[in-house]
Amino acid sequence: MKRFASVVAVNDVSLEVKAGEVVGLLGPNGAGKTTTLRMLSGILTPDGGRVEVCGTNLHADPLAAKQRLGFLSGDTQLYQRLTPIEVLRYFGQLYGMDKTTLEARIERLVVDLEMGSFASRACGTLSSGQKQRANIARAFLHEPQLVILDEPTNGLDVLSGRFVVEAIRREKASGRAVLLSTHLMSEAEYLCDRIYLLHQGRIVDGGPLADLLERSGQANLTDAFLHHAARGPADG
């Protein structure tokens, strides 16, 4: 649970992400998605409840837990005077990666995210799509067991969005757990193994897409969400 003054932003949210799957947290702006992800990543402290990362209590042992996760927030910024490669080297050193492993990992990410044309340019000169690819590389750099992504394709064109989606699928194939938030129904439908519907700070339904549609009696995810939203969180 998380409260801001008299407003309860997130309440009674319980979810699990397993290795090798992509789980989506779906809801409109203001539903509580970002607040939930910031609590799960250790940026915000919940007013109630518990967060575990790969069996490690995030609040009892935050450093150990955070070493196992990568996080990309909706407002993540890059160091404008550094190049993407320099940013990745800097964070790799913070993660304690040895030089040989770090350089190999950077080279792999530059190839996978097709960053070669801009990896040595100052981040301040990059387009929004190029910056987002660099941010994705930073989140995946230390090969965390859990990756948390807040609206990773928001504001991107089709091409840049494709690079991000393909990167997420590669992480899933590598056995990593991926939790992402989105307000794009179509993105959740083709990318996520399981989906949680968040409305007014509460989860109103969750599970594989087919199960969500069957329980709601709707033909698509948009209508399923609207069905639950109309009923309200207390009845979901």
Side-chain angles (χ1 to χ4, degrees):
M1 183 182 76
K2 188 63 181 179
R3 181 189 298 272
F4 297 101
S6 61
V7 176
V8 178
V10 176
N11 191 22
D12 197 27
V13 168
S14 179
L15 56 85
E16 179 184 19
V17 188
K18 300 176 182 178
E21 72 170 353
V22 178
V23 172
L25 190 61
L26 182 65
N29 294 332
K33 302 187 301 297
T34 293
T35 299
T36 298
L37 297 190
R38 287 181 174 176
M39 287 192 290
L40 295 177
S41 63
I43 293 176
L44 290 177
T45 301
D47 297 319
R50 183 178 64 181
V51 177
E52 286 193 0
V53 180
C54 304
T56 300
N57 187 301
L58 177 63
H59 308 294
D61 195 352
L63 289 180
K66 289 179 181 180
Q67 286 176 343
R68 297 178 177 181
L69 67 85
F71 177 62
L72 174 66
S73 70
D75 56 2
T76 299
Q77 297 294 319
L78 297 166
Y79 296 101
Q80 300 298 293
R81 295 184 180 181
L82 298 182
T83 68
I85 287 179
E86 290 170 338
V87 169
L88 294 176
R89 283 176 179 155
Y90 172 70
F91 278 94
Q93 292 170 7
L94 291 180
Y95 287 126
M97 299 174 67
D98 68 81
K99 185 175 181 180
T100 300
T101 301
L102 175 57
E103 292 302 319
R105 182 63 176 155
I106 290 174
E107 183 177 350
R108 181 73 263 165
L109 288 168
V110 168
V111 171
D112 286 347
L113 289 164
E114 296 190 23
M115 295 167 54
S117 63
F118 60 87
S120 297
R121 288 169 44 195
C123 291
T125 68
L126 304 182
S127 68
S128 59
Q130 291 168 338
K131 289 178 180 178
Q132 189 71 333
R133 280 188 259 171
N135 274 321
I136 288 286
R138 181 191 56 75
F140 292 163
L141 178 64
H142 58 302
E143 299 185 276
Q145 293 168 277
L146 168 65
V147 183
I148 299 175
L149 308 172
D150 188 8
E151 302 270 5
T153 63
N154 188 37
L156 300 185
D157 58 30
V158 174
L159 185 60
S160 295
R162 177 176 64 83
F163 287 128
V164 173
V165 168
E166 290 177 352
I168 292 171
R169 285 175 170 163
R170 280 192 297 270
E171 294 304 303
K172 171 188 172 179
S174 297
R176 276 176 254 294
V178 180
L179 173 64
L180 63 88
S181 71
T182 181
H183 62 275
L184 302 176
M185 306 291 173
S186 59
E187 184 173 271
E189 285 180 332
Y190 66 73
L191 188 57
C192 298
D193 299 292
R194 290 187 294 115
I195 299 167
Y196 290 95
L197 302 180
L198 192 67
H199 181 55
Q200 296 181 4
R202 290 178 179 268
I203 290 177
V204 295
D205 202 357
L209 175 61
D211 292 352
L212 298 182
L213 298 182
E214 181 178 357
R215 283 194 293 270
S216 67
Q218 306 299 315
N220 57 68
L221 189 55
T222 298
D223 289 341
F225 180 80
L226 292 174
H227 167 79
H228 284 293
R231 295 173 62 191
D235 298 324

